[in-house]
Amino acid sequence: MIANERTYQELVELDKKHFLHPTSPIQQQQEHGPAYIFSKGNGVYLEDIHGKKVMDGMSSLWNVNIGHGRKELGLAAMEQMNKLAFSSCFATFSNEPAIRLAAKIAEVAPGDLNTTFFTSGGSEANDTAYKLARHYWILKGQPEKKKIISRVKSYHGVAMGATSATGLKPFRDFTNSLAPDFYHTDNMSAKALEDIIISEGPDTIASFIAEPVQGAGGVHIAPEDYFKNVRTICDQYNILFITDEVITGFGRTGKYFGIEHYGVAPDLMCFAKGVTSGYAQLGGVVISEKIYEDFKRLSTGTLLHGYTYSGHPMACAVALKNIEIIEDENLIETAKNMGEELLKGFKWIEGEREIVGNVRALGLMGAIELNSQKLTTGPVAPLIVNEAANQGLICRSVVFDGMDILVFAPPLSINKQEIDSLVEIIDRAIYTIETTL
């Protein structure tokens, strides 16, 4: 046994014994060990400990927007850590990277979103948004406005509030004690939102939250007028509108933020993932100028909400460099253009493969929906994902609530040749599975 193989087997056994993996089948891990042990990344590719290279068709977790292996971000982290690795932002303490990042986000955010509360990631950002919305109504003398409405097929994270807001039932079934006052409505009907508001009573509802494009639920793209109608309804019934841009932010959809496709702006906006391209843990909530003015006017004590790493200097420095790269390399425009190429490729597959029902994409968020209802074998997307991995492409399946969908979100730095390669691999994978059914 060669030294590398001994190292690999050692890591496998340590992984199985000591590492409880997030969102992973425990039995699969115990039987087969980790699917990959990655050791390198470059551009749109990852390389495992054996030297096998695979295309990262998901930007890992929808988040490596600028691609893997960007030394500039490592240098930015090192430079900041050499000066000030960490300091608390409690009790009004601050640091320059956090200040400058908050100002930059205000510059690029839609509407009058102007002030950021920093978190360590997306779940914390969503939980923070719910708490800030409820606290806002307490300050306004309307504490009964506490209900949160979200959409079916939505995903908002796995903290307690975020789990309760998530519209994918299996995530809620994972725990037997959900947070109260969370409600779910149809994901494509603004009228359904208005109906639940009227049914529950507008004076009891704090906010409505929605992803501009539903990501983990299957890349569902809203009708053109949906968010304009939502904005009107929220204004009419005095309800705060929150957008969850954790996946769709920082260029993913071909706009800086996904909601910009729909010509409206929210009252609060959650972000994470693409703000650092996953090179550091960071998220946040941006609130509108109007809400912040009310906070400044009405809040007389300490804002009793904060995370140890809110405004983390190193993470904020990495985010600033990441945003600089996104802008300097025109990656938002690249996402738009390459997204169009991705959709063309998917439409070609749709014409070639009988098992493909429909395809869709907005920027570099795409989906291939399968006609598994015609089969007796159950969902086929997981089989195609496994076959694609064998052929050198990482993508993801969504099979919740009867869905059978392949989803994709490659790095924004992807080029036309790499798009063509992605399309060719997934077409071969679909063909391989289709011919066995």
Side-chain angles (χ1 to χ4, degrees):
M1 184 182 293
I2 61 174
N4 283 345
E5 184 62 22
R6 285 199 301 271
T7 299
Y8 172 70
Q9 291 299 333
E10 177 192 13
L11 290 173
V12 167
E13 292 308 312
L14 291 172
D15 184 280
K16 290 162 66 174
K17 186 174 182 179
H18 300 295
F19 187 2
L20 181 60
H21 283 248
T23 315
S24 300
I26 295 175
Q27 289 182 342
Q28 177 181 317
Q29 177 203 15
Q30 293 304 307
E31 290 175 10
H32 304 290
Y36 294 93
I37 300 177
F38 288 117
S39 58
K40 296 179 184 177
N42 183 39
V44 301
Y45 292 97
L46 290 165
E47 186 176 316
D48 74 2
I49 196 170
H50 296 300
K52 179 180 179 180
K53 192 165 73 169
V54 292
M55 180 181 289
D56 185 1
M58 283 303 304
S59 299
S60 287
L61 282 175
W62 318 81
N63 62 338
V64 188
N65 285 15
I66 66 170
H68 297 281
R70 296 301 296 256
K71 292 181 173 59
E72 303 98 309
L73 269 61
L75 291 171
M78 181 178 69
E79 180 181 341
Q80 182 58 46
M81 290 175 77
N82 284 338
K83 293 189 298 185
L84 177 68
F86 174 73
S87 63
S88 168
C89 290
F90 285 28
T92 77
F93 293 4
S94 200
N95 64 80
E96 184 175 355
I99 294 168
R100 294 203 179 278
L101 180 58
K104 180 61 181 178
I105 290 171
E107 175 190 320
V108 300
D112 68 340
L113 295 171
N114 201 41
T115 304
T116 294
F117 182 102
F118 288 112
T119 71
S120 300
S123 291
E124 286 184 1
N126 277 284
D127 268 28
T128 294
Y130 314 142
K131 289 182 73 174
L132 289 178
R134 287 166 167 167
H135 186 64
Y136 175 78
W137 292 118
I138 291 172
L139 292 177
K140 297 279 281 185
Q142 297 177 267
E144 68 281 0
K145 286 176 73 70
K146 59 184 180 178
K147 296 175 183 176
I148 310 293
I149 301 174
S150 60
R151 301 191 291 165
V152 299
K153 298 184 180 178
S154 64
Y155 178 81
H156 298 292
V158 293
M160 187 55 72
T163 295
S164 302
T166 289
L168 298 167
K169 190 172 181 292
F171 284 92
R172 302 197 306 274
D173 291 343
F174 177 80
T175 180
N176 61 1
S177 183
L178 293 168
D181 297 317
F182 283 86
Y183 298 80
H184 305 91
T185 188
D186 184 89
N187 63 327
M188 296 295 176
S189 169
K191 176 64 166 56
L193 170 62
E194 185 172 28
D195 288 345
I196 196 171
I197 290 170
I198 293 171
S199 173
E200 293 297 323
D203 292 341
T204 71
I205 297 168
S207 65
F208 169 67
I209 184 167
E211 303 156 277
V213 178
Q214 292 183 311
V219 185
H220 300 288
I221 302 168
E224 186 176 349
D225 62 350
Y226 174 79
F227 283 109
K228 286 186 177 178
N229 292 335
V230 163
R231 178 73 272 183
T232 298
I233 289 167
C234 288
D235 289 341
Q236 178 182 349
Y237 293 103
N238 201 25
I239 292 165
L240 298 180
F241 175 33
I242 306 170
T243 52
D244 179 347
E245 297 264 6
V246 170
I247 288 175
T248 53
F250 299 94
R252 170 59 56 193
T253 67
K255 298 275 190 184
Y256 229 117
F257 297 97
I259 198 65
E260 294 179 86
H261 288 281
Y262 300 97
V264 299
D267 301 299
L268 299 92
M269 181 179 77
C270 303
F271 67 88
K273 295 188 184 290
V275 69
T276 64
S277 289
Y279 284 67
Q281 302 95 323
L282 185 68
V285 182
V286 198
I287 64 176
S288 70
E289 183 69 19
K290 176 183 180 297
I291 290 175
Y292 191 45
E293 287 300 319
D294 282 340
F295 272 120
K296 289 190 288 185
R297 179 172 56 88
L298 298 171
S299 181
T300 58
T302 299
L303 183 72
L304 292 174
H305 181 70
Y307 302 101
T308 298
Y309 298 124
S310 291
H312 192 288
M314 183 277 288
C316 290
V318 170
L320 284 165
K321 178 56 70 172
N322 176 68
I323 292 170
E324 179 184 311
I325 290 171
I326 288 172
E327 292 183 345
D328 287 351
E329 298 183 6
N330 298 313
L331 293 183
I332 299 174
E333 184 68 15
T334 299
K336 175 181 179 294
N337 295 335
M338 290 301 99
E340 291 170 357
E341 294 297 328
L342 184 68
L343 184 57
K344 284 180 189 176
F346 285 175
K347 287 182 175 178
W348 174 78
I349 292 173
E350 183 181 13
E352 293 290 314
R353 303 289 160 233
E354 184 179 353
I355 198 173
V356 173
N358 65 73
V359 299
R360 51 188 176 267
L362 186 62
L364 286 170
M365 288 183 72
I368 297 175
E369 195 155 347
L370 303 164
N371 280 324
S372 60
Q373 66 271 19
K374 297 180 180 180
L375 307 171
T376 59
T377 55
V380 295
L383 304 177
I384 295 170
V385 166
N386 289 339
E387 180 60 29
N390 292 336
Q391 298 193 29
L393 170 67
I394 293 174
C395 58
R396 186 167 166 178
S397 63
V398 175
V399 295
F400 306 114
D401 300 329
M403 293 184 281
D404 198 5
I405 301 172
L406 301 165
V407 296
F408 305 82
L412 310 191
S413 56
I414 197 168
N415 60 37
K416 176 63 164 60
Q417 183 178 356
E418 290 161 343
I419 288 285
D420 291 344
S421 178
L422 185 156
V423 170
E424 289 169 8
I425 292 172
I426 199 63
D427 177 58
R428 288 199 305 269
I430 292 172
Y431 173 76
T432 300
I433 298 304
E434 187 177 57
T435 55
T436 66
L437 297 175

